[in-house]
Amino acid sequence: MQTSADSAKMECLWSCWKNHVIDLLYWHDIKQTGIVFGSVLLLLFSLTQFSVVSVIAYLALAALSATISFRIYKSVLQAVQKTDEGHPFKAYLDMDATLSEEQIQKYADSALVYVNCTVKELRRLFLVLDLVDSLKFAVLMWLLTYVGAIFNGLTLMIMAVVSMFTLPVVYEKYQAQIDQYLGLVRTHVNSVVAKIQAKIPGAKRKTE
């Protein structure tokens, strides 16, 4: 059974990871964010030109070339200077990279919660528990058919990555103006939905 200390450690790790992601998306460290953003875009653009197997193989070869070259360089340097510094990657080799049963169980439980929620929501939409929500979902799927006809999956992923690294910064800078326009759009959408609910029999939500 997972102890309170383990839970606190996991929560601390999760909080640190979330803060790190926020720092990346809001460009708090321009150099670090630029490296991550550029690397992800380079990977996605590579996948548009080569197969997944080729990209993985090239990345593995590049990483191996770098580590082998550095290992040989440090060995030669130690031989010339007659030092005994040991393996250059010893600190990383000594790190504990294994997952405990408690950690795996925690991740599995979290994944199970998301899967169950998704299944319940899809069942609710497809079996028309709420007519308005099912109609909204149908409109969304219909719009996605046009999106899929224009863009492939990789193109959408590239657009999503670019949006993730640009929209938070734009929103932070122009938050007041964006909130104002979003409020107007939300009001207009709610007005249209209310009119549709009034005209479709059985679409009106039950009030308790």
Side-chain angles (χ1 to χ4, degrees):
M1 185 176 290
Q2 192 172 24
T3 64
S4 58
D6 291 332
S7 299
K9 184 178 179 182
M10 290 297 297
E11 289 178 5
C12 181
L13 289 173
W14 168 252
S15 177
C16 291
W17 182 82
K18 187 168 74 170
N19 291 335
H20 184 63
V21 171
I22 292 173
D23 289 340
L24 285 175
L25 296 182
Y26 282 89
W27 295 77
H28 292 166
D29 187 332
I30 296 178
K31 183 179 179 181
Q32 190 176 37
T33 301
I35 292 173
V36 174
F37 183 41
S39 300
V40 174
L41 276 185
L42 180 62
L43 174 62
L44 292 176
F45 278 121
S46 299
L47 289 173
T48 62
Q49 303 296 323
F50 306 100
S51 67
V52 176
V53 175
S54 296
V55 172
I56 292 175
Y58 282 128
L59 288 174
L61 282 173
L64 279 170
S65 299
T67 53
I68 291 172
S69 299
F70 187 71
R71 175 79 168 87
I72 295 173
Y73 166 76
K74 292 296 288 186
S75 298
V76 172
L77 194 63
Q78 289 175 26
V80 172
Q81 296 179 347
K82 297 181 179 180
T83 58
D84 188 18
E85 296 179 3
H87 199 289
F89 300 118
K90 188 177 186 304
Y92 298 102
L93 291 170
D94 291 340
M95 287 177 62
D96 185 13
T98 59
L99 288 174
S100 64
E101 280 188 39
E102 291 81 6
Q103 289 174 320
I104 294 175
Q105 185 64 44
K106 184 178 179 67
Y107 294 139
D109 291 342
S110 299
L112 188 61
V113 170
Y114 288 115
V115 170
N116 287 336
C117 289
T118 302
V119 170
K120 288 180 181 178
E121 184 65 16
L122 289 175
R123 182 182 63 181
R124 188 181 73 84
L125 292 170
F126 279 104
L127 298 183
V128 200
L129 179 63
D130 187 293
L131 181 58
V132 174
D133 286 344
S134 295
L135 287 174
K136 289 179 182 178
F137 185 66
V139 171
L140 176 62
M141 293 299 103
W142 176 69
L143 292 174
L144 287 178
T145 60
Y146 286 94
V147 174
I150 299 173
F151 306 105
N152 59 29
L154 279 174
T155 304
L156 289 175
M157 288 181 66
I158 292 171
M159 293 171 62
V161 169
V162 173
S163 300
M164 285 171 55
F165 282 90
T166 55
L167 292 183
V169 179
V170 173
Y171 179 73
E172 188 178 45
K173 189 174 182 180
Y174 302 102
Q175 183 175 357
Q177 298 91 322
I178 292 174
D179 285 344
Q180 182 181 359
Y181 289 120
L182 286 178
L184 292 174
V185 172
R186 192 179 297 111
T187 301
H188 182 69
V189 170
N190 290 338
S191 175
V192 172
V193 170
K195 291 179 181 178
I196 294 174
Q197 285 179 332
K199 292 182 179 180
I200 299 178
K204 221 170 187 181
R205 296 183 184 273
K206 293 181 181 180
T207 57
E208 295 183 353

